[in-house]
Amino acid sequence: MVWLHVISDGLITISYYSIPVVLIYFIRKNREIPFNRIFWMFGTFILACGTTHLMEIWNVWHGSYLLAGVVKGITAAVSVLTVAMLIPLVPRVISLPGRIHLQEETRKLEQEIAERNRMDAPIEAPLRRKVKAGFAVAVLLTGFLGLLSWRVAQQAAEDSDWVAHTHEVITTLEVTLRHLVDVESGGRGFALTGSEPFLAP
Protein backbone atom coordinates (compact mmCIF):
# COMPACT_ATOMS: atom_id res chain seq x y z
CA MET A 1 0.00 0.00 0.00
CA VAL A 2 2.88 2.37 0.83
CA TRP A 3 4.54 1.65 -2.50
CA LEU A 4 1.31 2.47 -4.32
CA HIS A 5 1.46 5.98 -2.79
CA VAL A 6 5.20 6.30 -3.42
CA ILE A 7 4.98 5.19 -7.07
CA SER A 8 1.91 7.33 -7.75
CA ASP A 9 3.46 10.42 -6.12
CA GLY A 10 6.71 9.72 -7.98
CA LEU A 11 4.99 9.55 -11.35
CA ILE A 12 2.98 12.69 -10.57
CA THR A 13 6.17 14.49 -9.52
CA ILE A 14 8.00 13.50 -12.71
CA SER A 15 5.02 14.58 -14.83
CA TYR A 16 4.66 17.87 -12.95
CA TYR A 17 8.37 18.59 -13.33
CA SER A 18 8.24 17.77 -17.05
CA ILE A 19 5.36 20.14 -17.82
CA PRO A 20 7.28 23.36 -16.88
CA VAL A 21 10.20 22.22 -19.05
CA VAL A 22 7.84 21.88 -22.01
CA LEU A 23 6.25 25.27 -21.23
CA ILE A 24 9.66 26.98 -21.04
CA TYR A 25 10.68 25.42 -24.36
CA PHE A 26 7.37 26.51 -25.90
CA ILE A 27 7.74 30.10 -24.63
CA ARG A 28 11.33 30.33 -25.87
CA LYS A 29 10.34 29.12 -29.34
CA ASN A 30 7.29 31.45 -29.49
CA ARG A 31 8.43 34.70 -27.92
CA GLU A 32 5.65 36.70 -29.61
CA ILE A 33 2.92 34.53 -28.03
CA PRO A 34 0.42 36.59 -26.01
CA PHE A 35 -0.01 36.10 -22.27
CA ASN A 36 3.44 34.53 -21.82
CA ARG A 37 3.54 35.69 -18.17
CA ILE A 38 0.61 33.44 -17.36
CA PHE A 39 2.57 30.54 -18.86
CA TRP A 40 5.41 31.29 -16.44
CA MET A 41 2.90 31.36 -13.58
CA PHE A 42 1.43 28.03 -14.67
CA GLY A 43 4.92 26.56 -14.82
CA THR A 44 5.67 27.78 -11.29
CA PHE A 45 2.31 26.50 -10.02
CA ILE A 46 2.83 23.05 -11.58
CA LEU A 47 6.40 22.90 -10.26
CA ALA A 48 5.12 23.71 -6.75
CA CYS A 49 2.43 21.01 -7.06
CA GLY A 50 5.10 18.50 -8.11
CA THR A 51 7.20 19.49 -5.10
CA THR A 52 4.27 18.79 -2.74
CA HIS A 53 4.02 15.28 -4.17
CA LEU A 54 7.78 14.88 -3.79
CA MET A 55 7.39 15.87 -0.13
CA GLU A 56 4.74 13.15 0.25
CA ILE A 57 7.36 10.59 -0.82
CA TRP A 58 9.90 12.19 1.54
CA ASN A 59 7.50 12.08 4.48
CA VAL A 60 6.92 8.34 4.06
CA TRP A 61 10.38 7.75 5.53
CA HIS A 62 11.39 11.03 7.21
CA GLY A 63 8.21 12.75 8.47
CA SER A 64 9.29 16.38 7.80
CA TYR A 65 5.77 17.74 8.11
CA LEU A 66 6.88 21.30 8.87
CA LEU A 67 8.82 21.44 5.61
CA ALA A 68 5.88 19.82 3.83
CA GLY A 69 3.57 22.47 5.29
CA VAL A 70 5.89 25.27 4.08
CA VAL A 71 5.95 23.73 0.58
CA LYS A 72 2.14 23.45 0.59
CA GLY A 73 1.87 27.06 1.77
CA ILE A 74 4.10 28.22 -1.09
CA THR A 75 2.03 26.11 -3.49
CA ALA A 76 -1.18 27.65 -2.13
CA ALA A 77 0.23 31.17 -2.54
CA VAL A 78 1.36 30.47 -6.11
CA SER A 79 -2.05 28.90 -6.86
CA VAL A 80 -3.95 31.93 -5.57
CA LEU A 81 -1.65 34.31 -7.50
CA THR A 82 -2.08 32.27 -10.68
CA VAL A 83 -5.88 32.35 -10.34
CA ALA A 84 -5.77 36.11 -9.65
CA MET A 85 -3.77 36.64 -12.84
CA LEU A 86 -5.90 34.23 -14.88
CA ILE A 87 -9.36 35.67 -14.13
CA PRO A 88 -8.77 39.07 -15.85
CA LEU A 89 -7.36 37.26 -18.90
CA VAL A 90 -10.52 35.21 -19.52
CA PRO A 91 -12.30 37.82 -21.71
CA ARG A 92 -9.11 38.44 -23.69
CA VAL A 93 -8.53 34.73 -24.17
CA ILE A 94 -12.13 34.26 -25.34
CA SER A 95 -11.72 37.03 -27.94
CA LEU A 96 -8.31 35.72 -29.01
CA PRO A 97 -9.59 33.36 -31.78
CA GLY A 98 -11.45 36.24 -33.40
CA ARG A 99 -8.36 38.44 -33.32
CA ILE A 100 -6.20 35.63 -34.65
CA HIS A 101 -8.70 35.11 -37.46
CA LEU A 102 -8.64 38.83 -38.27
CA GLN A 103 -4.84 38.85 -38.24
CA GLU A 104 -4.80 35.83 -40.53
CA GLU A 105 -7.27 37.46 -42.93
CA THR A 106 -5.23 40.68 -42.86
CA ARG A 107 -2.07 38.73 -43.62
CA LYS A 108 -3.80 36.97 -46.55
CA LEU A 109 -5.05 40.29 -47.93
CA GLU A 110 -1.58 41.81 -47.65
CA GLN A 111 -0.15 38.81 -49.51
CA GLU A 112 -2.80 39.17 -52.24
CA ILE A 113 -2.09 42.89 -52.58
CA ALA A 114 1.66 42.27 -52.79
CA GLU A 115 1.09 39.51 -55.37
CA ARG A 116 -1.16 41.75 -57.47
CA ASN A 117 1.37 44.57 -57.27
CA ARG A 118 4.07 42.20 -58.51
CA MET A 119 1.81 41.02 -61.34
CA ASP A 120 0.71 44.54 -62.28
CA ALA A 121 4.23 46.00 -62.25
CA PRO A 122 5.20 44.63 -65.73
CA ILE A 123 1.86 45.86 -67.12
CA GLU A 124 1.92 49.30 -65.51
CA ALA A 125 5.24 50.40 -67.06
CA PRO A 126 4.15 49.96 -70.73
CA LEU A 127 0.71 51.30 -69.86
CA ARG A 128 2.28 54.39 -68.26
CA ARG A 129 4.38 54.95 -71.40
CA LYS A 130 1.30 54.58 -73.61
CA VAL A 131 -0.65 57.05 -71.47
CA LYS A 132 2.20 59.58 -71.68
CA ALA A 133 2.46 59.11 -75.45
CA GLY A 134 -1.31 59.46 -75.82
CA PHE A 135 -1.27 62.63 -73.70
CA ALA A 136 1.53 64.10 -75.83
CA VAL A 137 -0.35 63.26 -79.04
CA ALA A 138 -3.52 64.81 -77.63
CA VAL A 139 -1.66 68.02 -76.71
CA LEU A 140 -0.06 68.23 -80.16
CA LEU A 141 -3.36 67.50 -81.90
CA THR A 142 -5.13 70.14 -79.80
CA GLY A 143 -2.44 72.70 -80.69
CA PHE A 144 -2.65 71.80 -84.36
CA LEU A 145 -6.44 72.06 -84.38
CA GLY A 146 -6.26 75.41 -82.56
CA LEU A 147 -3.76 76.74 -85.12
CA LEU A 148 -5.87 75.41 -87.98
CA SER A 149 -9.02 77.00 -86.53
CA TRP A 150 -7.22 80.35 -86.15
CA ARG A 151 -5.97 80.17 -89.75
CA VAL A 152 -9.46 79.26 -91.02
CA ALA A 153 -10.97 82.15 -89.05
CA GLN A 154 -8.33 84.54 -90.43
CA GLN A 155 -8.97 83.29 -93.97
CA ALA A 156 -12.72 83.66 -93.46
CA ALA A 157 -12.20 87.26 -92.29
CA GLU A 158 -10.07 88.00 -95.35
CA ASP A 159 -12.65 86.38 -97.63
CA SER A 160 -15.38 88.40 -95.94
CA ASP A 161 -13.41 91.60 -96.61
CA TRP A 162 -12.97 90.61 -100.26
CA VAL A 163 -16.69 89.80 -100.59
CA ALA A 164 -17.61 93.17 -99.06
CA HIS A 165 -15.18 94.95 -101.40
CA THR A 166 -16.62 93.05 -104.38
CA HIS A 167 -20.14 94.12 -103.43
CA GLU A 168 -18.98 97.73 -103.16
CA VAL A 169 -17.38 97.52 -106.63
CA ILE A 170 -20.50 95.92 -108.12
CA THR A 171 -22.72 98.57 -106.51
CA THR A 172 -20.44 101.34 -107.83
CA LEU A 173 -20.48 99.81 -111.32
CA GLU A 174 -24.26 99.53 -111.26
CA VAL A 175 -24.58 103.19 -110.24
CA THR A 176 -22.07 104.20 -112.93
CA LEU A 177 -23.94 102.14 -115.56
CA ARG A 178 -27.20 103.78 -114.58
CA HIS A 179 -25.56 107.21 -114.93
CA LEU A 180 -24.18 106.21 -118.33
CA VAL A 181 -27.63 105.06 -119.42
CA ASP A 182 -29.09 108.35 -118.19
CA VAL A 183 -26.38 110.31 -120.02
CA GLU A 184 -26.92 108.32 -123.19
CA SER A 185 -30.72 108.67 -122.97
CA GLY A 186 -30.39 112.43 -122.30
CA GLY A 187 -28.02 112.85 -125.23
CA ARG A 188 -30.47 111.10 -127.56
CA GLY A 189 -33.38 113.07 -126.25
CA PHE A 190 -31.50 116.37 -126.75
CA ALA A 191 -30.44 115.30 -130.25
CA LEU A 192 -34.00 114.47 -131.18
CA THR A 193 -35.79 117.34 -129.49
CA GLY A 194 -33.15 119.97 -128.83
CA SER A 195 -34.59 120.39 -125.35
CA GLU A 196 -31.94 121.41 -122.76
CA PRO A 197 -33.45 119.50 -119.75
CA PHE A 198 -32.18 116.30 -121.44
CA LEU A 199 -28.61 117.55 -120.82
CA ALA A 200 -29.00 117.46 -117.00
CA PRO A 201 -27.48 113.92 -116.64
Side-chain angles (χ1 to χ4, degrees):
M1 193 70 169
V2 172
W3 285 104
L4 177 62
H5 286 279
V6 171
I7 293 171
S8 298
D9 285 326
L11 291 174
I12 292 171
T13 301
I14 293 170
S15 299
Y16 276 8
Y17 280 4
S18 300
I19 293 173
V21 174
V22 174
L23 285 176
I24 291 170
Y25 177 79
F26 182 73
I27 292 170
R28 284 184 173 274
K29 291 295 182 181
N30 300 276
R31 293 187 180 275
E32 71 279 359
I33 191 169
F35 321 122
N36 57 0
R37 284 199 310 176
I38 199 67
F39 280 97
W40 284 106
M41 286 304 301
F42 268 123
T44 306
F45 162 70
I46 293 169
L47 193 63
C49 289
T51 306
T52 60
H53 285 280
L54 183 63
M55 286 305 301
E56 292 292 332
I57 298 172
W58 177 264
N59 283 336
V60 169
W61 289 285
H62 297 89
S64 301
Y65 293 104
L66 178 61
L67 181 60
V70 171
V71 171
K72 283 187 178 181
I74 294 172
T75 303
V78 172
S79 303
V80 171
L81 187 59
T82 303
V83 170
M85 289 180 64
L86 184 60
I87 290 174
L89 292 179
V90 171
R92 294 172 64 187
V93 172
I94 291 173
S95 65
L96 187 61
R99 282 188 289 178
I100 292 174
H101 176 71
L102 285 176
Q103 289 176 352
E104 183 67 20
E105 291 298 321
T106 303
R107 187 183 61 80
K108 287 181 180 177
L109 286 175
E110 288 175 351
Q111 287 180 347
E112 288 181 8
I113 291 170
E115 185 65 26
R116 287 186 181 179
N117 287 338
R118 281 196 300 272
M119 292 174 62
D120 291 344
I123 299 173
E124 284 181 358
L127 183 62
R128 196 176 292 114
R129 286 195 295 269
K130 289 180 181 178
V131 169
K132 288 181 179 179
F135 181 73
V137 170
V139 170
L140 291 174
L141 187 60
T142 302
F144 175 73
L145 289 175
L147 182 63
L148 185 62
S149 299
W150 173 79
R151 186 72 187 102
V152 168
Q154 191 178 32
Q155 188 66 41
E158 291 177 0
D159 291 344
S160 177
D161 291 341
W162 279 108
V163 168
H165 178 68
T166 303
H167 281 298
E168 289 178 1
V169 170
I170 292 172
T171 303
T172 304
L173 287 174
E174 288 177 350
V175 170
T176 303
L177 287 174
R178 281 199 297 271
H179 284 308
L180 288 175
V181 169
D182 290 341
V183 169
E184 185 182 359
S185 300
R188 287 179 183 172
F190 178 75
L192 291 174
T193 61
S195 177
E196 290 184 2
F198 281 109
L199 298 177

